[in-house]
Amino acid sequence: MASRKPLIAGNWKMFKTCPEAETTSRQLVERVGDVSSVDIMIAPPFTALAVVSKAIEGSSMELGAQNLYWEKEGAFTGEVSAPMIASAGCRYVIIGHSERRQFFGETDAGVNKKIQAAFEASLIPVVCVGETEPERDSGKTFSVLDKQIQEGLKDLNLNTSNPPVIAYEPVWAIGTGKTAQPEQAQEAHAYIRKLISQGFGDELASAIRILYGGSVKPGNIAELMALPDIDGALVGGASLKPETFSEIIHYRT
Ligand code: PEP
């Protein structure tokens, strides 16, 4: 089995002004220190990318954006393209977060175009998938994952030298304080890896990192990371505070 370097990613959502983002990221750099055993990403709002990029320069942390639009440029008021994000210093971009699907009508077809655009700009897409509570309760978790993975990754030329990252985020666990039981998370992650293997082969399936997201905190990260198919975490609320996010990053110690 390929060894996959864990990725701990923070999604700041629509929080933090530029001065707040600068203070938080400077404090994070101090608290996190030199880390080489895990990759770390923070995704502030677009407006704070420049200040955070400067604050984390030379540190163990890398920058991510929370969304993109698939066209490179044009008359698309309010949108931001993949080359723009890359030029702001981002290495990663979150795509298809459930809040974008839920509140902004994002579809799997749109997610597919965004992933393609991210690759063209040499960004690593962090592709979010996951079922809602009614979908889980009615036994549709796997069929939801089938559709999101198959349509989201449709016709993409994926390879092991630069695989996308998948984030399994059960919608009922995001920002609710409810975390999936370890066995529920492992089952979903193993299922996603099987889908990747069926669609793109075993080599990609064993190289791809699948993050868990949904109320991850210092108290549950170690248990989640001990599971064989969990390769990191996408952290919302707990990434906003340097104390909690750095504790999550240092989950091994
Ligand atoms: C998220 O925003 O992707 C997330 C998982 O949020 P939280 O950690 O707050 O549940």
Side-chain angles (χ1 to χ4, degrees):
M1 196 180 77
S3 78
R4 299 180 291 268
K5 189 173 183 188
L7 169 64
I8 304 290
N11 171 17
W12 287 1
K13 311 193 188 204
M14 198 176 75
F15 289 99
K16 299 192 188 291
T17 61
C18 289
E20 288 166 351
E22 185 175 6
T23 307
T24 305
S25 42
R26 289 203 185 284
Q27 289 173 353
L28 258 175
V29 168
E30 265 195 29
R31 281 182 177 266
V32 168
D34 235 1
V35 173
S36 56
S37 55
V38 298
D39 289 335
I40 307 162
M41 172 203 93
I42 43 178
F46 288 131
T47 44
L49 285 175
V51 286
V52 174
S53 172
K54 197 152 178 261
I56 66 174
E57 210 175 350
S59 77
S60 305
M61 284 178 288
E62 294 179 292
L63 197 62
Q66 298 176 17
N67 183 28
L68 59 72
Y69 187 58
W70 55 78
E71 294 291 346
K72 288 191 176 66
E73 59 179 11
F76 302 104
T77 302
E79 295 296 322
V80 178
S81 73
M84 290 169 184
I85 286 166
S87 76
C90 290
R91 173 132 202 264
Y92 296 91
V93 57
I94 299 171
I95 293 178
H97 191 280
S98 65
E99 286 150 16
R100 297 221 49 90
R101 294 176 188 259
Q102 209 179 334
F103 304 130
F104 302 98
E106 229 163 74
T107 62
D108 292 317
V111 165
N112 183 260
K113 289 195 216 179
K114 290 183 178 197
I115 299 170
Q116 185 63 47
F119 279 129
E120 281 166 18
S122 301
L123 292 163
I124 301 173
V126 178
V127 183
C128 301
V129 296
E131 79 289 357
T132 62
E133 193 152 39
E135 286 165 344
R136 174 161 284 268
D137 290 346
S138 56
K140 294 196 185 119
T141 298
F142 293 147
S143 62
V144 167
L145 294 176
D146 284 342
K147 181 174 179 301
Q148 290 175 335
I149 294 285
Q150 278 157 14
E151 294 183 14
L153 302 185
K154 188 167 178 231
D155 295 336
L156 293 174
N157 185 14
L158 304 182
N159 61 67
T160 49
S161 61
N162 199 13
V165 174
I166 307 286
Y168 170 63
E169 301 206 298
V171 180
W172 48 271
I174 296 180
T176 58
K178 292 186 202 170
T179 318
Q181 292 302 313
E183 54 280 9
Q184 288 175 316
Q186 169 56 28
E187 186 185 36
H189 280 232
Y191 187 75
I192 291 168
R193 205 176 298 285
K194 192 179 89 188
L195 290 177
I196 301 291
S197 165
Q198 286 165 350
F200 300 94
D202 284 349
E203 231 191 312
L204 188 78
S206 62
I208 204 163
R209 292 184 290 188
I210 307 176
L211 315 184
Y212 172 79
S215 299
V216 172
K217 19 185 196 295
N220 59 22
I221 181 72
E223 185 180 26
L224 289 161
M225 291 302 293
L227 298 164
D229 286 296
I230 296 191
D231 309 310
L234 181 54
V235 186
S239 73
L240 294 169
K241 288 198 188 129
E243 314 84 74
T244 45
F245 194 47
S246 57
E247 253 194 82
I248 291 171
I249 291 164
H250 293 135
Y251 68 93
R252 285 183 218 232
T253 52

